[in-house]
Amino acid sequence: MFADYAPLSWVVSGFAGLLAYVIAVAIYGYGSSKVVRAKYDSKFMLETGGVDPMSRVFEDKRIFLNDFILPSSPFVDGKTFVDCDIVGPANIFLQVDNAINNIKPGIIVDAVVLDGETPFNNGFIFRNCTFRGCRFHRVTLFFAPDEALANSHLKWLNWITEMPRQEALPGTVAASQIEDQSRQSHQGNEEKTQR
């Protein structure tokens, strides 16, 4: 069939065979990486210490984050932790819509404010999670600027970075402006009394 187009047909069929080989090797490599990742993840799932990481609610559990969260997917979304001990060492980025209530006293947790522009790469990312009556052990919490301002009142957080400056809303006066106005009026009153 290809004899009429020889030797061009030989070259084309050779390149077609090479392309088919490359595609087959790529598919095999992709499948092998999925198998290796699945074995790695299943090993960690077996070592979670009796905690089912697929549950939505965890009560009175000691959760070792390095065993609880799969290495291939560092995201935790929509989980509720009640009276749990969250154990590191780990970096946790409380990314968005997390609620932290009634944390047990006695442990101070380091907290870091991210700049909101640089991506967070080294740790676990929690979204839409609730923590009630929990304790964090050997954990550093990372917050986006807005989330940091919302949680700045928590006494058990040790902020090891500066808090972002909160911009004044339009039509309001910033606290520094009030202090300046107060100082100026106080100086003006002193000058009047001296006259």
Side-chain angles (χ1 to χ4, degrees):
M1 178 172 148
F2 296 108
D4 294 339
Y5 303 104
L8 179 62
S9 61
W10 302 338
V11 174
V12 170
S13 63
F15 278 113
L18 180 63
L19 180 64
Y21 173 75
V22 168
I23 290 171
V25 168
I27 291 171
Y28 175 76
Y30 178 77
S32 295
S33 70
K34 285 292 192 184
V35 168
V36 168
R37 180 172 282 185
K39 285 181 182 177
Y40 191 59
D41 288 349
S42 66
K43 175 187 169 221
F44 275 89
M45 288 176 79
L46 291 174
E47 297 174 358
T48 57
V51 176
D52 178 13
M54 302 306 286
S55 295
R56 303 299 285 168
V57 177
F58 304 91
E59 292 187 46
D60 294 319
K61 299 286 184 187
R62 177 170 285 234
I63 297 173
F64 294 92
L65 290 172
N66 291 315
D67 296 336
F68 176 73
I69 300 171
L70 299 177
S72 58
S73 178
F75 298 97
V76 178
D77 194 359
K79 307 243 184 218
T80 300
F81 302 91
V82 180
D83 296 325
C84 291
D85 287 327
I86 313 296
V87 182
N91 295 326
I92 296 177
F93 178 24
L94 297 173
Q95 189 176 42
V96 66
D97 294 332
N98 293 292
I100 304 173
N101 303 312
N102 304 323
I103 296 300
K104 292 178 183 173
I107 295 179
I108 302 297
V109 178
D110 288 341
V112 175
V113 181
L114 299 173
D115 63 7
E117 297 173 8
T118 309
F120 177 83
N121 294 319
N122 188 19
F124 307 115
I125 299 172
F126 283 72
R127 300 176 184 146
N128 308 309
C129 292
T130 302
F131 300 91
R132 283 195 305 259
C134 295
R135 281 190 180 180
F136 294 92
H137 304 273
R138 297 183 327 187
V139 167
T140 301
L141 297 177
F142 289 77
F143 294 88
D146 294 342
E147 296 281 329
L149 290 171
N151 292 296
S152 62
H153 66 284
L154 299 174
K155 302 289 186 211
W156 54 273
L157 289 177
N158 175 37
W159 295 96
I160 57 178
T161 57
E162 282 189 37
M163 293 297 286
R165 294 188 181 255
Q166 191 169 10
E167 296 180 16
L169 297 173
T172 61
V173 179
S176 60
Q177 291 175 333
I178 293 172
E179 289 175 12
D180 290 342
Q181 290 173 355
S182 171
R183 197 175 313 115
Q184 289 173 356
S185 71
H186 184 67
Q187 288 174 351
N189 289 339
E190 286 180 359
E191 290 174 3
K192 287 180 185 175
T193 55
Q194 289 175 357
R195 289 184 199 162

